[in-house]
Amino acid sequence: MEFPQQQKPAGDGKIVYPPGVKEITDKISNDEVVKRLKMVVKTYMDMDQDSEEEKQQYLGLALHLASEFFLRNPNKDVRLLVACCLADIFRIYAPEAPYTSHDKLKDIFLFITRQLKGLEDTKSPQFNRYFYLLENLAWVKSYNICFELEDCNEIFIQLFKTLFSVINNSHNQKVQMHMMDLMSSIIMEGDGVTQELLDTILINLIPAHKNLNKQAYDLAKTLLKRTVQTIEACIANFFNQVLVMGKSSVSDLSEHVFDLIQELFAIDPLLLLSVMPQLEFKLKSNDGEERLAVVRLLAKLFGAKDSELATQNRPLWQCFLGRFNDIHVPVRLECVKFASHCLMNHPDLAKDLTEYLKVRSHDPEEAIRHDVIVTIINAGKKDLNLVNDQLLGFVRERTLDKRWRVRKEAMMGLAQLFKKYCLHHEAGKESAQKISWIKDKLLHIYYQNSIDDKLLVEKIFAQYMVPHSLDTEEKMKCLYYLYACLDTNAVKALNEMWKCQNMLRGLVRELLDLHKLPVSEANNTAMFGKLMTIAKNLPDAGKAQDFMKKFNQVLGEDEKLRVQLETLISPTCSCKQAELCVREITRKLTFPKQPTNPFLEMVKFLLERIAPVHIDSEAISALVKLLNKSIEGTADDDEEGVTPDTAIRSGLELLKVLSFTHPTAFHSAETYESLLQCLKMEDDKVAEAAIQIFRNTGQKIETELQQIRSTLIPILHQKAKRGTPHQAKQAVHCIHAIFNNKEVQLAQIFEPLSRSLNADVPEQLITPLVSLGHISMLAPDQFASPMKSIVANFIVKDLLMNDRSTGNKNGKLWTPDDEVSPEVLAKVQAIKLLVRWLMGMKNNQSKSANSTLRLLSAMLVSEGDLTEQKKISKSDMSRLRLAAGGAIMKLAQEPCYHDIITPEQFQLCGLVINDECYQVRQIFAQKLHLALVKLLLPLEYLAVFALCAKDPVKERRAHARQCLLKNITVRREYIKQNPLAHEKLVSLLPEYVVPYMIHLLAHDPDFTKPQEYEQLKDIKECLWFMLEVLMTKNENNSHAFLRKMVENIKQTKDAQCPEDTKANEKLYIVCDVALFVIANKSTACHLESPKDPVLPTKFFLLQDKDFKNDKDYLSAETRQMLLTGKPKTTPVLGAVNKPLTVPGRRIFPKTTTGSDTASNASTNSQLSSAALIKNSNAGTESSESGARENNENPIIKNEDGKKVEAGQNVTPVATTEASPAKRRGRPPKSAVTTTPAVAEKEGGAAAGGGAGRGRKRPADPASDSSAESINIKMSKQQQKDDGTKRQIDLQR
């Protein structure tokens, strides 16, 4: 709009007023001015743009109204009326304004703008006039006149500020619409938006202002949406100045740029079309805090529900994902937190996030690993489909995290998902199936050593897996089907959990019994022992001990508390009673003024573990009813995802376990009637479990349930005579446990069975042998004598000393149980019968034990073929060797028989752990471990594990080491917890295993050439296998004690063959190797020994007082070889016969074998070579564990993972031929791939090479000691020499 050159009023400057309106001057009162102005306003309102005559007529008045008198009038009403007139004047005279002066126009528009503040009060009587003013200005777009003014920006800023300040929730839509029209016209029709004007709009988006005036925020939001095309460039310029150029002074809003970006993006992403690339630049800033701010912003933008930014701007998305690996911890943390919203709002981006969350789930920062779990679990709780299996796998991994906080979050998260989707089925069967592994995984954690983990698993089981808050029937249904669906390890874990809780209940019961006794020193000592054991089963053992002492003190003072606790652990306590007792005990120990009470928390932990919240008589009845339904076929088995047979079998297994921990709950006729039905079922496992339940719980059947008794007895007799071996065993034990006239009952079984024994029908012999063995063990006084003739005439002469059938000559070293010949199964049971008979007698008056031990030794010497007629197959021989070794080990658990076991017999037994058959070694080691860990076997049998160093299978060596660790820990703990154990240190202290180990190794059949390096290396390996575990800590100067013990052995002679010089020399050589290993491992071993060791006289005899053995049996070269695996470097003069070389000319030596190369390789190069070999043989590693050294017919996996026999065409895995070092204990490829024909022709030499008679070694070829070498400390000179040798080797 252009301004006119000149506007002259009509009548030569005289002002014309509308009819009836007198002159308006400063001489009249305000009220009169208002009255006259209202008439003027009415006149202008009625005029339109076409009234040319009136426009000319009232031009003077229009100019007059813009005078200082009106614009600066103090009266509010006057100003409002004048503003209305001026607005109409602009409307009437448009497009040409009657005012020519720029300054005047500026004053007028600033005046009008000031009047718009009156819009704020909608209840004002003048509001309609203010609204009219706004409407008029908006409709005419009067402010557009200002574009021609130089300082129009000031007017617009004032206008925008005014409108944003006055708008409120009392305004209707019309007001907001006119404001919007007024402002949008200025933005859209102008040449651009200045920074100051932009600030007046954007400031309303800042959170602080947004919260103060929501309507102003909405107005700004709508304005930006409407003007997006025009204002986008101005916004881009602003952010470019601040973000890229760093000019924060361009605006007061510079510090709020990220808040503004978030708001603008929410309003319309197009507003930030040019800004997003600038954020990518900021993401790569060197300032960690700046990156953090950008990440926070983008997290909100990408994570917003309807945001499509990730798909529209892939470069920015990829750049943002890169921040998951940021060096700055808070940045990584922010990214992980963002992932939760992203997964919930944008499932399509889960694939992109998965890889980055995988890396962060292994982040070194605990908080980040924790938040990864929270992120995944929160998304999963909202909808399981939002998280893929890989994401759930990350949570699964973190259940084994090193930090308790992370483990706890992972376990609790998985528990919540299980309860929601598997227990409550909130998303159907498909979702439940997707996470069906959770139940098993959570229970597997019970295997962890940490007591915190165990307690949390117990809590999860009680609250999430089988919620104790459910009514009994629903609760037992949960348990019944959960138990049926668990895997084997989870079942074992759950059984162990109940066992531990029951053990703890027993400890508390014993503690309460001690409170009933008179106060005494012995009583206090016993109490202290119980308290320490209880504290070990609670978190934070140190604090737990103090709190348990305090709790014990409170128990002693408060009789009512003791009564409540006795009720809680009573076998008859119901689940409801238990809850009341826990509540009452907690109330008594609560102190209102104490906000946190760690003592009470610890007591709660104890109460949670001992309270029977799941199982009582009512619960057992409910379980039995479910079992009956499964038997009848009326249960919901199929709906729960299990077959009826599985439900019945697992249901009985569950009842069997509970019969150990809650026997009293089974005492009802209804329960026993159901169990009798199970006894009649065809499923052998079901019947066996039912018998065992009767055995555990039926103590009152004879006195209270005569009808059950009369039905049960004939069934037990039938099972003992013609049931399966397991049923027969349980039936005999059941009769012995629950009937008063057990002698009569057992005799009725013994006599017909003993008369019907027939070795010609071995299939019918197994069950009778089992029954007879257990009867003779349970009632030795009654049946020991008649048993002796059966043993002499039938068991030994007729059964064990005769081979009636010819075994299968397929060459296999082991076959499955169902393929073993009945005759061998009968022989195995015959060996067990001998042991049970002796274990029942517990004396050797008749010298029967000596005869039995000689028989078992002969079985081992003959490798299982006692008759040596070669009728028996190799796999059957393996079974008999295992039975014989296990029998000697079982007899050694009884002191009277242990004393008569000779060193030779002990060695034969121990060497079974080096048997050629993998399964024999595996089962024997397991039996050995279980007996040792229960402290049933003498300490000398722990030495047998040293021989496991020769096992060619890595997994077996690792298992043996774990067994050693466990046994040594158990013995040390036992000594700490039992003060009386100090009197028996010789039989308990783990260090005392060393003399037995040295003696055993000195008599190793493979140790034939005492000075040969390879044999000495094997001895060193075996010694180190044990000593490494023993010497982990130097408690009480134990290293010096070990040294002293070995030195003392060197001053004795071998009791097994005291006059044999060679045997004694081998003993001393083993001692020297042991001293060498100890000295190189420990610098403290040369200190003074705390006490003088005691040596077992059964193995070592003292020499004359004058005898002193100070000879060094290991040469310097041998020591060097044992230390580094290679001989000492040859001096210069010693190389006379070596070929001379021209300087600079390289010699290429002939290709050597692996052993030759190994002898020249340095320690480092050997380790590298071992790693190479490991990689090159990766394809064959998996075959080690199953039948690698049962190599007469091994099973090898081909590339498809299918099993094929070695006789078939198998493409061997490519390996490095000229490997410089071999892996210790690994059989050669020729041994692994030997065909049955070749193996049979060679007589199994590859498997048992170097073994003496009566002992078959696994494949154990020459191996490199450094592959799993001892970490031996070397002097600086040795290291220097070694470095020189390495250089020489490299030059070659």
Side-chain angles (χ1 to χ4, degrees), residues 34-74:
V34 169
K35 183 180 176 183
R36 295 177 187 181
L37 280 174
K38 282 180 181 179
M39 294 173 71
V40 174
V41 168
K42 180 72 172 64
T43 303
Y44 279 123
M45 282 176 68
D46 295 338
M47 286 174 65
D48 56 33
Q49 287 181 317
D50 298 331
S51 309
E52 291 297 334
E53 188 180 332
E54 288 181 322
K55 281 164 64 175
Q56 191 62 31
Q57 184 182 354
Y58 294 123
L59 181 59
L61 180 58
L63 296 172
H64 178 56
L65 287 172
S67 66
E68 291 295 312
F69 168 69
F70 294 107
L71 297 183
R72 301 196 182 279
N73 197 293

Side-chain angles (χ1 to χ4, degrees), residues 115 272 535 603 719 728 798 817 847 874 912 964 1089:
Q115 306 323 303
L272 299 171
V603 174
K719 294 293 182 187
D798 208 11
D817 293 350
K847 304 295 180 184
K874 287 190 173 292
V912 176
L964 271 176
S1089 173

Side-chain angles (χ1 to χ4, degrees), residues 21 173 188 214 273 333 482 549 579 799 900 1059 1196 1262:
V21 179
Q173 198 170 353
M188 295 170 75
K214 181 70 168 59
L273 202 60
L333 199 57
L482 175 73
K549 287 177 189 174
E579 286 183 22
L799 185 57
I900 62 170
E1059 305 309 322
I1196 301 173

Side-chain angles (χ1 to χ4, degrees), residues 419-451:
K419 187 174 183 180
K420 182 171 184 175
Y421 297 111
C422 293
L423 208 59
H424 297 158
H425 296 288
E426 290 189 15
K429 286 188 176 180
E430 194 175 329
S431 292
Q433 189 61 35
K434 180 180 176 181
I435 56 168
S436 59
W437 54 266
I438 288 179
K439 60 186 183 301
D440 298 314
K441 178 59 187 172
L442 289 172
L443 288 170
H444 291 171
I445 296 165
Y446 207 76
Y447 287 105
Q448 296 301 310
N449 292 327
S450 166
I451 192 69

